[in-house]
Amino acid sequence: MSLTSFGFFLFFAVVFGVYWATRRNTVRKWLLLAASYVLYASIDWRFCALLLGLSLIGLAGINRLSKEAMRWHRSLVLGIGLALSLVALVVLKYFDFFAAGVAGMLGRFGLAADDVTLGLVLPIGLSFYVFRVMSSLIDSYRGDLPAVCSPLDYLVYVAFFPQLLSGPIDRAGNLIPQIHTSRSFDYALATEGTRQVLWGLFKKLALADGIATHVDSLLSPDAGHAGPVLVVGVVLYSIQIYCDFSGYTDISIGVTKLLGIRPMRNFAYPYFSQNVAEFWRRWHISMSSWFRDYVYIPLGGSRVGRPRLFVNILITFVLSGLWHGAGLNFLAWGALLGLGVAFTSLRKKPVLGALDTPGGERLTIRAFAKMIVTFAFISLSWVFFRAESVSEAARTIGRIFTPALQAAQWREALQSIADLDVLVVLLIIFIFFEWFHRRRESTLDLRISYLPVRWLIYTCVLWLTIVMFKVNESGMFIYFQF
Amino acid sequence: MRRYLALMAVFILVQGVILGVLIWLDTPSDYYLAASVDKSRRLDEAPSPRVVFVGGSSLAFGLNSGVVAEELDGAYHPVNMGLHAGMGLEFELNMARCGIKQGDIVVLSPEYEQLWSDILSDTTVVRILAYHPGAISQVPSWKVGEVLFRAFKDGPSMLARDLAAMQYYGVRNTLVDWVRKALGRGSVSKVGEDVGYHRSTFNEYGDQTAAWEVAGSYRPTAGERTARSLSDERMQNALDAIRLFIDSCHALGVQVVYAYPPVLDTEYEVDKPAIEETAQLLEFALGIAFLNRPSEEVYPASSFYDTAHHLAGMAVQERSQRLGASLAQLLVVSTSPGR
């Protein structure tokens, strides 16, 4: 059950109604827990056992940590908890990748090795809830979590259904106190959440899904397009992945707010960043901050010399690349971004504080040029992310940088933009809308006091979403097979 | 909470009003399949005697009824019932059976696919019923249950998609027209740039005229195709349905003839054994006159509009002339006007 499906909205309507109909917080917690497991079971009931098992490991770990005083005991408990969590992730997500890698390496040395793979199904959301368990264990070890954690609160935190499938990877220190505390309906938070759901649906269904079919044809390895067309494809893919992921996250965050809980922010207009390091403070914030807090800082962070800083950054980004997928292309993607962040950080120490206004308070030519260069670098890195292999990505980038000397190649690129049709207009409006609202946490947070004007804008966004969603649905020309 | 729910209710109500206005503006009725209403009305109201063409969209696109009427010296008023092969053979025959009258001539011209397999598409039928609910009585009885289930399950979503597509392409084509006019170019063609085609591009006889003025632009898919073969059971069912139709026509004093549909030359090369076998079975089993041979309805890709079934441009006119001439030869046509 996807967050964009009609079934989910019916499901959530029921949960929302029952949730706010009851005043007892314990009942609400049990409702959230049941809803989370029902949602997960609707995908595959076997995954529920894994989710419950990992939740219990985390719960046992933090409760043990709250009782242990001796440091080596606490380290042992932490180590066991993290190891058990990682075992699930490594076996289910990475075993086949490493086994194939080992077999390949042995083969290079002339040693025959059976291609042993487990062929296991990767449970949806595994990477997200394993990291929630791990972060809660580490926070508990550091003393950042309350000494006593209610089992029900913790189970709800790990399985929390709006965030279960695709994040954000919210922290126990943020969610558990809110789950624990009884809340009354917050009108401002609910309207904020509703707007965020609407904007998320627009980005996902109208823009991302609309762009997707164009990207597939432009970046198809078999199509053999020239550089200019590939540039169009890469730029569109950058927009697609942003709208897809941030749109889905907006829906998740909006639904969470409708339940009276304020989750952590996950995207802060990343494509308006002026360097790669800033991009990584604005893109998938819950994940990038997770790697910062639990990998980069324990390695020494920026409190080390430049050579060690460089290594710390590369390790962090290679691991984050692997988190996204078990493949050399993800490793290469992470390494490339790590190089970009390292280059930025070696010139200027990383800033870990609150985010400034993206693009600056006033747009200057210098700031604009930095944004374009940063966007270009990030877009090229997405080539590795999207490709099936490193060699495919390298070929694509090679063709991008091959000079296009024929006019026909440039005409084809212009035609590929024209083929987007109404989407071009929507994308331009979308970019300007995000730019002019970049100071706000949510793009649809309109500071317009006149209600009919606000509703007119919401209505336009809603109808554009519905129309584009229906138009993008497959089968439009399948209808005429005869 | 009450304030939130009240505002949400009002907002949803406003959207409902907007949706109602859009539906009331009747935009979806320009949808291609809504032409089923017009065809049935034409069949009811056209003055006798009529020549009624029964088939799928190859007939809708591939016939200029005006040319046929000229070949018949105006002795018969044409009615083109061709719409969409996804209706299935039996549904098409039932629709025609409801409206034919004594003295009519029926020209059967279904696609080969309708004889080789049961291609009645629930989706197509549900869409037709959305605009032409009265046609439910003509849906084959063994399909009514499935169709109703599909209507309940997917009907609102399908209608929403059609409505959305009409809005999208309506606005889009208007904007593109403005730009093109500003650049001194002609208006954009509606057909082929939207989902399906338009009801408004059917003429008074029921011919789909959208491709008459354009050159064929069909590009067959590359690669080898395996030859299609007959399903004995389906062929027998199709023959039974056609024979039943012919018997009911004869009982009404209606003559029935058969015309083979157009086929792409490369597909004819591959499917020739199946086509020729089909022709033999039809000519043996039906006992009616045939206006043409399958080999006379083979056309190159440049004669087709967007699929291997929809003729375009001059091919339509030439085919219609040949069919009209064949029909005229078969019939004794009175020269007195108004017959």
Side-chain angles (χ1 to χ4, degrees):
Chain A
M1 211 192 303
S2 158
L3 292 195
T4 55
S5 65
F6 186 66
F8 175 79
F9 282 99
L10 282 180
F11 164 82
F12 179 69
V14 172
V15 171
F16 178 83
V18 177
Y19 184 87
W20 289 113
T22 181
R23 292 182 192 279
R24 294 187 58 190
N25 202 37
T26 309
V27 174
R28 287 179 182 171
K29 291 181 205 179
W30 279 108
L31 173 68
L32 288 179
L33 188 66
S36 302
Y37 277 85
V38 164
L39 181 72
Y40 208 43
S42 72
I43 297 164
D44 194 324
W45 62 268
R46 295 169 298 175
F47 298 162
C48 293
L50 177 67
L51 176 61
L52 183 62
L54 283 167
S55 301
L56 292 174
I57 288 170
L59 180 65
I62 63 173
N63 279 339
R64 193 74 207 165
L65 283 167
S66 67
K67 291 171 184 156
E68 290 291 340
M70 291 182 65
R71 187 170 175 173
W72 76 269
H73 278 175
R74 291 168 59 77
S75 300
L76 184 64
V77 169
L78 176 66
I80 292 171
L82 292 180
L84 288 174
S85 305
L86 276 172
V87 157
L89 187 63
V90 169
V91 168
L92 290 168
K93 189 167 181 175
Y94 299 107
F95 182 88
D96 290 353
F97 167 62
F98 284 117
V102 168
M105 248 176 30
L106 290 173
R108 285 216 175 90
F109 288 102
L111 298 168
D114 289 336
D115 193 13
V116 176
T117 55
L118 296 177
L120 295 170
V121 174
L122 175 63
I124 292 176
L126 177 70
S127 303
F128 292 96
Y129 57 80
V130 163
F131 268 34
R132 291 159 87 86
V133 170
M134 290 173 66
S135 73
S136 65
L137 285 168
I138 297 170
D139 286 347
S140 179
Y141 176 82
R142 290 174 177 172
D144 294 335
L145 273 191
V148 175
C149 182
S150 150
L152 184 57
D153 291 350
Y154 188 79
L155 290 176
V156 171
Y157 158 69
V158 176
F160 190 51
F161 75 89
Q163 303 179 349
L164 179 61
L165 303 179
S166 295
I169 310 170
D170 219 323
R171 304 295 177 88
N174 178 47
L175 273 196
I176 290 181
Q178 295 189 71
I179 292 168
H180 182 74
T181 310
S182 182
R183 287 167 305 286
S184 53
F185 187 83
D186 185 332
Y187 173 81
L189 192 61
T191 51
E192 204 179 301
T194 308
R195 284 195 299 265
Q196 207 153 353
V197 168
L198 177 60
W199 191 241
L201 286 170
F202 174 71
K203 284 196 284 187
K204 173 79 177 83
L205 300 180
L207 298 181
D209 290 353
I211 294 170
T213 44
H214 295 273
V215 168
D216 287 343
S217 69
L218 292 176
L219 296 183
S220 165
D222 300 329
H225 287 301
V229 174
L230 291 174
V231 167
V232 174
V234 166
V235 168
L236 286 177
Y237 181 69
S238 302
I239 300 172
Q240 177 199 341
I241 195 169
Y242 169 66
C243 289
D244 194 272
F245 196 4
S246 70
Y248 206 84
T249 303
D250 276 345
I251 298 168
S252 161
I253 290 174
V255 164
T256 305
K257 287 179 178 176
L258 281 165
L259 295 172
I261 296 170
R262 188 173 283 279
M264 70 182 295
R265 193 177 183 188
N266 214 22
F267 287 87
Y269 308 100
Y271 286 146
F272 297 148
S273 302
Q274 298 186 43
N275 56 64
V276 182
E278 185 186 352
F279 174 82
W280 273 101
R281 291 172 56 218
R282 297 184 180 281
W283 176 275
H284 199 181
I285 297 169
S286 64
M287 185 215 66
S288 59
S289 63
W290 195 100
F291 277 96
R292 178 197 64 203
D293 294 342
Y294 304 117
V295 177
Y296 176 71
I297 290 176
L299 285 174
S302 58
R303 299 185 306 273
V304 295
R306 281 175 185 254
R308 181 66 190 273
L309 174 64
F310 183 84
V311 170
N312 290 347
I313 290 172
L314 266 189
I315 290 173
T316 304
F317 275 88
V318 164
L319 288 175
S320 77
L322 278 176
W323 179 87
H324 283 82
L328 285 175
N329 59 308
F330 292 106
L331 201 150
W333 171 72
L336 184 62
L337 284 167
L339 286 172
V341 173
F343 174 76
T344 311
S345 301
L346 289 173
R347 294 175 68 230
K348 188 167 72 173
K349 288 281 185 178
V351 175
L352 297 181
L355 293 169
D356 298 327
T357 301
E361 289 297 329
R362 292 177 62 191
L363 183 62
T364 62
I365 294 174
R366 184 184 163 89
F368 182 72
K370 283 181 173 179
M371 280 196 293
I372 295 298
V373 170
T374 305
F375 179 77
F377 181 85
I378 297 298
S379 297
L380 282 175
S381 75
W382 287 133
V383 175
F384 286 90
F385 190 86
R386 188 182 183 278
E388 297 282 333
S389 64
V390 175
S391 54
E392 180 190 316
R395 278 195 299 274
T396 302
I397 291 182
R399 288 210 302 274
I400 287 173
F401 285 102
T402 301
L405 302 173
Q406 298 174 15
Q409 295 170 326
W410 293 95
R411 276 200 301 272
E412 197 185 349
L414 285 175
Q415 183 59 49
S416 65
I417 297 173
D419 288 342
L420 288 169
D421 227 17
V422 173
L423 263 178
V424 174
V425 176
L426 281 183
L427 284 174
I428 293 171
I429 294 173
F430 165 71
I431 291 167
F432 272 97
F433 212 71
E434 292 243 307
W435 172 258
F436 285 112
H437 292 108
R438 68 192 187 281
R439 291 179 186 79
R440 297 166 203 170
E441 190 174 316
S442 171
T443 308
L444 266 191
D445 179 15
L446 307 172
R447 305 282 164 84
I448 299 171
S449 55
Y450 195 43
L451 179 71
V453 173
R454 292 204 307 273
W455 275 30
L456 178 63
I457 295 172
Y458 301 149
T459 299
C460 290
V461 172
L462 176 65
W463 281 98
L464 277 171
T465 304
I466 293 171
V467 169
M468 294 304 295
F469 168 59
K470 283 299 182 184
V471 168
N472 291 337
E473 264 185 342
S474 64
M476 300 306 266
F477 280 94
I478 293 171
Y479 155 71
F480 248 99
Q481 295 170 12
F482 301 97
Chain B
M1 176 89 172
R2 280 190 195 138
R3 183 183 167 201
Y4 175 79
L5 290 176
L7 275 178
M8 284 299 292
V10 172
F11 185 78
I12 291 169
L13 191 64
V14 168
Q15 310 316 311
V17 168
I18 293 172
L19 179 64
V21 168
L22 287 175
I23 292 171
W24 176 73
L25 285 173
D26 218 16
T27 308
S29 72
D30 197 29
Y31 196 64
Y32 178 89
L33 288 176
S36 172
V37 177
D38 304 321
K39 289 173 184 284
S40 292
R41 189 183 305 125
R42 167 89 185 155
L43 187 60
D44 285 340
E45 296 173 358
S48 295
R50 297 91 54 88
V51 55
V52 181
F53 294 89
V54 178
S57 60
S58 73
L59 198 56
F61 278 78
L63 187 75
N64 184 333
S65 298
V67 169
V68 173
E70 279 176 21
E71 291 292 329
L72 298 175
D73 290 331
Y76 288 82
H77 301 277
V79 179
N80 186 346
M81 295 294 288
L83 187 63
H84 193 303
M87 291 170 64
L89 176 67
E90 288 81 354
F91 190 13
E92 288 172 359
L93 295 176
N94 291 344
M95 293 272 288
R97 187 186 284 119
C98 282
I100 50 176
K101 299 171 185 170
Q102 186 180 14
D104 287 347
I105 297 164
V106 172
V107 179
L108 293 177
S109 187
E111 278 88 336
Y112 292 110
E113 288 84 352
Q114 291 182 293
L115 306 176
W116 293 342
S117 53
D118 180 7
I119 58 169
L120 187 151
S121 155
D122 296 343
T123 309
T124 304
V125 174
V126 167
R127 278 209 167 93
I128 290 174
L129 294 177
Y131 305 113
H132 191 189
I136 185 80
S137 57
Q138 282 110 53
V139 175
S141 55
W142 65 89
K143 278 288 186 180
V144 171
E146 280 180 47
V147 166
L148 287 177
F149 175 73
R150 176 60 66 100
F152 177 73
K153 182 173 168 286
D154 297 334
S157 175
M158 283 181 341
L159 283 178
R161 193 183 308 147
D162 297 344
L163 186 65
M166 283 296 172
Q167 298 303 316
Y168 175 84
Y169 286 105
V171 170
R172 182 252 185 213
N173 287 345
T174 302
L175 289 174
V176 172
D177 272 351
W178 286 347
V179 171
R180 288 174 73 97
K181 278 174 188 168
L183 294 174
R185 297 181 186 178
S187 297
V188 67
S189 167
K190 280 185 182 177
V191 183
E193 292 187 287
D194 60 8
V195 60
Y197 306 93
H198 289 268
R199 178 184 182 182
S200 53
T201 45
F202 281 95
N203 65 11
E204 69 270 31
Y205 302 116
D207 307 326
Q208 174 54 246
T209 64
W212 286 5
E213 302 295 323
V214 301
S217 53
Y218 177 63
R219 299 282 177 271
T221 48
E224 283 188 34
R225 190 170 72 67
T226 50
R228 288 177 285 186
S229 58
L230 274 65
S231 153
D232 288 344
E233 186 186 348
R234 171 57 200 164
M235 195 68 212
Q236 191 56 51
N237 290 340
L239 287 174
D240 289 343
I242 296 174
R243 272 199 293 255
L244 207 65
F245 177 78
I246 293 171
D247 290 342
S248 57
C249 286
H250 287 170
L252 269 178
V254 172
Q255 189 174 355
V256 183
V257 299
Y258 200 99
Y260 292 104
V263 66
L264 181 66
D265 51 5
T266 50
E267 288 192 2
Y268 181 74
E269 286 303 313
V270 175
D271 293 330
K272 190 172 176 181
I275 290 174
E276 293 298 332
E277 187 183 349
T278 301
Q280 280 177 12
L281 286 169
L282 287 169
E283 289 164 23
F284 177 75
L286 299 183
I288 57 176
F290 285 73
L291 298 183
N292 55 9
R293 296 287 313 142
S295 55
E296 292 166 5
E297 292 294 330
V298 179
Y299 299 85
S302 57
S303 294
F304 289 92
Y305 176 53
D306 61 339
T307 76
H309 299 273
H310 300 162
L311 287 177
M314 285 309 299
V316 178
Q317 321 309 326
E318 288 161 7
R319 179 179 187 240
S320 305
Q321 213 158 13
R322 284 198 304 272
L323 284 178
S326 296
L327 197 54
Q329 273 185 345
L330 269 177
L331 300 170
V332 176
V333 179
S334 169
T335 55
S336 55
R339 181 184 168 185

